[in-house]
């Protein structure tokens, strides 16, 4: 259809040009015949002069029109390229915002009290301005310590982690920890028991944070492939099985903005999981250690008394002591720099 229209336009142009040429030729012959004094030689001589003039005019006109057309074509191409470039840039920028991280953090082992300064500074800035905080991962051992160190308390805290009573999930996560530097030489049974204890005192530390904000806690069958911490402006995702994360306690991490595809997906998924899950609890200011003891007894399938809670509370403070000191020093540096 398009080809037939082009052929028709071309035929019309050719017909119009032929008609105009024929009309001009006839008019020229008529004008020449009006002068009866001109001989055939004079007519041919004048025709030759006109042909020379026509050639000169054609060359000059062709050169000028070529320059004009070239400039017009170049301007048109530049405008088209600029428009295309702007659209491409906008598309790429939108794609970057939707699907690509805006920060990367290398993996490390937390030796000598080092937990990754850039990662924690960025996360702290997100925490100081957020009303919503969420964590999902195998173990929430550092969550309460981070929240307590903050100068700003979120209005909503949601945590999804392994249950200390989930034997199969604990075995799976403990197997990943075999290669960690600080667990070198320990057998898998020791690692499983240490992880179980870690999960217990993590629950206790989250319960203690209820004095600042209610905590929604959900127990999930986490496969220990990734973890994330979510704020109003960003989500920080740590990939345990990344190419550089092998044998690293702190895996490589990525930050995605709140308008990204991944942030929106994870947030909606987490909210819906909390809505439909039956394996969850909310810690509030009105509850006391008796409530916590009953909750832990249900999780562990064994009696829990106050001495157990006191022991786990003390153990939790001891285990995250280095991290808490790291955060305090970081906050002092941030206040000094500001």
């Amino acid at each position: 259809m398009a080809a037939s229209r082009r052929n028709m336009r071309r035929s019309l142009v050719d017909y119009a040009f032929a008609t105009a040429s024929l009309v001009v030729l006839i008019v020229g012959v008529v004008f020449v015949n009006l002068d009866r004094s001109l001989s055939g030689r004079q007519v041919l001589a004048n025709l030759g002069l006109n042909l020379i003039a026509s050639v000169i005019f054609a060359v000059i006109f062709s050169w000028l029109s070529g320059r004009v057309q070239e400039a017009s074509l170049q301007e048109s191409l530049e405008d088209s390229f600029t428009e295309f470039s702007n659209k491409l840039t906008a598309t790429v920028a939108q794609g970057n915002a939707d699907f690509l991280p805006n920060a990367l953090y290398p993996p490390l082992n937390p030796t000598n009290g080092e937990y990754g300064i850039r990662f924690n500074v960025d996360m702290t800035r997100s925490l100081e301005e957020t009303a919503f905080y969420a964590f999902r991962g195998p173990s929430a051992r550092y969550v309460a310590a981070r929240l307590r160190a903050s100068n700003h308390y979120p209005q909503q805290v949601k945590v999804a982690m392994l249950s200390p009573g989930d034997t199969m999930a604990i075995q799976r996560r403990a197997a990943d920890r075999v290669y960690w530097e600080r667990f070198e030489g320990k057998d898998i049974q020791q690692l499983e028991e240490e992880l179980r204890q870690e999960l217990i005192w993590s629950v206790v530390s989250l319960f203690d944070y209820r004095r600042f904000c209610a905590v929604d806690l959900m127990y999930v069958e986490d496969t220990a492939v990734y973890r994330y911490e979510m704020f109003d402006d960003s989500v920080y995702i740590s990939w345990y099985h990344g190419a550089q994360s092998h044998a690293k306690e702190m895996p490589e991490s990525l930050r995605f903005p709140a308008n990204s595809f991944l942030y929106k997906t994870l947030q909606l998924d987490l909210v819906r999981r909390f809505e439909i899950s039956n394996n969850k609890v909310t810690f509030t200011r009105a509850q006391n250690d008796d409530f916590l003891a009953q909750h832990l007894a249900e999780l562990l399938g064994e009696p829990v008394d106050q001495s157990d809670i006191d022991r786990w509370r003390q153990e939790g403070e001891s285990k995250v002591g280095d991290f808490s000191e790291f955060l305090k020093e970081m906050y002092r540096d941030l206040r000094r720099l500001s």
Side-chain angles (χ1 to χ4, degrees):
M1 188 67 179
S4 63
R5 286 199 300 267
R6 285 197 299 270
N7 292 334
M8 182 178 295
R9 286 197 298 268
R10 187 180 300 111
S11 299
L12 291 174
V13 170
D14 293 341
Y15 177 77
F17 178 77
T19 302
S21 299
L22 181 60
V23 171
V24 171
L25 180 60
I26 294 172
V27 171
V29 171
V30 172
F31 286 168
V32 169
N33 288 330
L34 291 177
D35 190 351
R36 301 294 182 178
S37 63
L38 292 176
S39 64
R41 294 176 64 86
Q42 288 176 324
V43 172
L44 293 175
N46 289 332
L47 183 59
L49 288 174
N50 288 330
L51 288 174
I52 294 173
S54 298
V55 170
I56 295 174
F57 172 77
V59 171
I60 296 175
F61 179 79
S62 176
W63 180 76
L64 291 176
S65 63
R67 293 291 300 273
V68 172
Q69 289 179 355
E70 183 181 353
S72 176
L73 179 61
Q74 184 176 359
E75 183 178 354
S76 177
L77 288 175
E78 287 179 354
D79 292 341
S80 299
F81 181 78
T82 300
E83 181 181 0
F84 176 77
S85 178
N86 291 337
K87 289 182 179 179
L88 179 61
T89 301
T91 302
V92 172
Q94 182 62 41
N96 287 347
D98 287 343
F99 302 107
L100 297 181
N102 55 11
L104 302 173
Y105 309 95
L108 58 85
N109 283 318
T111 56
N112 300 322
E114 174 56 48
Y115 289 86
I117 186 66
R118 188 167 67 89
F119 173 78
N120 283 282
V121 166
D122 289 350
M123 187 175 288
T124 295
R125 287 171 175 162
S126 295
L127 177 58
E128 292 298 323
E129 298 178 357
T130 193
F132 171 77
Y133 170 84
F135 170 91
R136 177 173 178 175
S139 172
R141 64 186 184 277
Y142 294 129
V143 170
R146 184 183 299 281
L147 293 174
R148 287 198 308 267
S150 175
N151 297 316
H152 165 82
Y153 301 127
Q155 299 177 15
Q156 188 177 18
V157 173
K158 292 183 176 295
V159 177
M161 56 175 279
L162 290 177
S163 168
D166 191 339
T167 304
M168 293 296 295
I170 290 175
Q171 290 176 352
R172 174 63 270 179
R173 181 54 180 155
D176 291 335
R177 293 186 171 191
V178 170
Y179 304 101
W180 287 10
E181 184 177 305
R182 68 186 179 99
F183 290 146
E184 185 177 359
K186 293 186 178 181
D187 59 38
I188 190 65
Q189 287 75 23
Q190 289 178 290
L191 297 180
E192 290 174 8
E193 180 57 28
E194 288 189 12
L195 177 56
R196 178 176 177 272
Q197 294 298 316
E198 178 183 302
L199 294 172
I200 295 173
W201 57 254
S202 294
V203 173
V204 175
S205 66
L206 291 171
F207 176 80
D208 290 343
Y209 186 74
R210 78 198 187 284
R211 297 191 299 269
F212 305 99
C213 172
V215 177
D216 295 323
L217 177 59
M218 177 175 63
Y219 300 105
V220 294
E221 295 178 341
D222 197 283
T223 56
V225 174
Y226 67 93
R227 74 161 186 260
Y228 65 79
E229 293 183 67
M230 182 175 291
F231 308 87
D232 285 343
D233 65 346
S234 302
V235 59
Y236 296 76
I237 302 177
S238 300
W239 186 21
Y240 289 112
H241 298 274
Q244 302 177 1
S245 299
H246 180 70
K248 299 292 185 180
E249 188 167 343
M250 300 293 177
E252 57 185 295
S253 301
L254 308 93
R255 182 182 68 195
F256 292 85
N259 61 341
S260 66
F261 167 80
L262 196 58
Y263 181 99
K264 295 175 183 178
T265 302
L266 292 176
Q267 183 187 47
L268 181 60
D269 176 73
L270 185 72
V271 170
R272 289 189 173 187
R273 285 181 182 275
F274 268 94
E275 288 177 354
I276 65 177
S277 175
N278 293 320
N279 197 10
K280 62 185 178 182
V281 64
T282 299
F283 296 144
T284 66
R285 187 190 298 268
Q287 298 162 351
N288 55 26
D289 283 357
D290 291 337
F291 177 88
L292 178 60
Q294 181 180 354
H295 175 67
L296 289 174
E298 293 175 356
L299 290 178
L300 302 176
E302 58 188 44
V304 174
D305 57 27
Q306 187 63 48
S307 63
D308 295 323
I309 294 177
D310 293 339
R311 174 169 54 82
W312 287 322
R313 186 170 282 145
Q314 184 178 2
E315 183 179 356
E317 292 294 330
S318 173
K319 293 294 185 180
V320 300
D322 287 346
F323 182 67
S324 297
E325 288 300 320
F326 169 81
L327 292 179
K328 290 179 182 178
E329 184 64 28
M330 184 189 66
Y331 270 98
R332 284 194 292 267
D333 291 341
L334 290 176
R335 284 193 293 268
R336 184 169 62 251
L337 292 175
S338 61

